[in-house]
Amino acid sequence: MRKPIIAGNWKLNKTIDESINLVEDIKIKIMDLDREKMPIVVVCPVFTSLKTVGDIIDSSKSIYLGAQNCYYEDAGAFTGEVSVPMIKEVGATYIIIGHSERRQYFGETDNAINLKAKTILAHGLIPIICCGETLEQREAGQTDKIVKNQIIADLKDLTEEQIAKSVIAYEPVWAIGTGKTCESPEANRVIKLIRSTVAEVSSKDAADKARILYGGSVKPSTIEEQMSQSDIDGALVGGASLDAESFAQLVKGAMLVTSK
Ligand code: PGA
């Protein structure tokens, strides 16, 4: 059984005070939901807000903390980086890696993503590994090849057990922050391809267990249809996660569909 995940990627938004307001509001709005039926809810604030937000959600036991990036070495002369043990220390369970904005603006490579995934899993945390094609690649008919190659490189040398625990997010770059959602059947098709790639590089069991999310302009009006697809296990949400009401609606929308 794959319990759905609704993860909010706050990106470079919200000061500490604003983060407190947002997470307190989210807490209130999902407080009365049935825990059994509720998806795993994750919020990923900026590094400087992690500890504060972590302390607030700690007591609720219904929201998990995630970071938006990490470095693959634990410590050393790596100015400006934040390591996995440091992120773990503030109470995070999840770490997003390979987001297209990091690939595009900060040169994050599949090799670095793979090293990060290994370190995250070695420390008992869960990576949310992002993949997805650009508009140019889609128009050139390269979607399947690009996504497949990213997944093969990102999961290289991970054990079956590690892959089973991991979360993958299919995020077509052209759908991120653009308001253009990938049609649900198409998102499901690519996600099925990702799942079969996972089975090829690892095992069917690992592929059946790994959660694969969709990301890219997810909003309350699209979540139910997305969640009702056979292979979509939840959503990685940017814009709509910055508003407590719309984020809570996504959590509620995901509850209308049971675990897969
Ligand atoms: P978006 O961002 O929901 O604003 O499109 C998604 C993401 O980048 O994870």
Side-chain angles (χ1 to χ4, degrees):
M1 286 279 261
R2 304 189 299 265
K3 198 170 170 63
I5 298 179
I6 298 292
N9 172 12
W10 295 2
K11 307 193 180 185
L12 184 52
N13 293 293
K14 306 284 175 193
T15 60
I16 293 176
D17 280 349
E18 289 165 351
S19 300
I20 294 171
N21 288 341
L22 178 55
V23 78
E24 292 280 16
D25 245 16
I26 292 172
K27 242 175 91 172
I28 292 167
K29 290 189 193 297
I30 65 171
M31 199 162 54
D32 295 331
L33 301 181
D34 180 345
R35 291 284 177 276
E36 288 291 302
K37 295 197 185 123
M38 210 170 100
I40 293 170
V41 177
V42 185
V43 291
C44 306
V46 295
F47 282 127
T48 46
S49 296
L50 273 179
K51 170 94 175 81
T52 315
V53 170
D55 289 345
I56 293 170
I57 59 181
D58 199 31
S59 53
S60 78
K61 300 270 181 256
S62 55
I63 306 176
Y64 292 85
L65 188 67
Q68 299 173 20
N69 182 30
C70 65
Y71 194 52
Y72 49 80
E73 296 288 352
D74 286 355
F78 305 104
T79 303
E81 295 297 316
V82 180
S83 74
V84 177
M86 291 165 183
I87 292 168
K88 188 176 180 175
E89 189 185 16
V90 293
T93 310
Y94 293 85
I95 305 182
I96 299 171
I97 52 174
H99 190 280
S100 67
E101 285 150 17
R102 296 221 50 92
R103 291 180 190 255
Q104 198 179 338
Y105 307 134
F106 305 99
E108 193 162 324
T109 61
D110 284 313
N111 182 46
I113 294 160
N114 177 244
L115 292 170
K116 289 178 184 190
K118 284 178 183 154
T119 307
I120 292 167
L121 287 156
H123 285 287
L125 273 66
I126 302 167
I128 300 178
I129 306 165
C130 303
C131 63
E133 81 288 357
T134 63
L135 184 59
E136 232 181 15
Q137 291 163 338
R138 174 160 283 265
E139 285 174 346
Q142 296 171 342
T143 299
D144 295 8
K145 190 181 91 194
I146 294 288
V147 171
K148 222 177 149 161
N149 287 345
Q150 286 174 335
I151 289 302
I152 292 169
D154 298 348
L155 301 183
K156 192 166 171 273
D157 298 331
L158 295 186
T159 66
E160 270 182 44
E161 200 191 331
Q162 287 178 323
I163 291 177
K165 268 190 222 148
S166 299
V167 178
I168 296 169
Y170 168 56
E171 298 207 305
V173 180
W174 49 272
I176 296 177
T178 57
K180 265 192 244 162
T181 328
C182 179
E183 295 288 329
S184 301
E186 171 59 9
N188 195 50
R189 186 193 68 79
V190 181
I191 286 178
K192 273 179 143 170
L193 171 80
I194 294 171
R195 205 177 294 287
S196 65
T197 306
V198 173
E200 268 168 47
V201 298
S202 184
S203 68
K204 175 154 191 319
D205 185 54
D208 284 342
K209 287 186 178 144
R211 255 83 50 93
I212 312 181
L213 316 181
Y214 167 76
S217 297
V218 172
K219 30 189 170 320
S221 59
T222 62
I223 189 72
E224 228 184 295
E225 188 194 86
Q226 284 154 345
M227 290 302 300
S228 62
Q229 301 291 316
S230 65
D231 280 67
I232 302 183
D233 300 323
L236 179 57
V237 191
S241 74
L242 295 172
D243 175 73
E245 182 52 36
S246 64
F247 190 63
Q249 278 182 31
L250 293 174
V251 174
K252 289 175 197 163
M255 289 176 71
L256 301 170
V257 185
T258 48
S259 296
K260 290 169 187 160

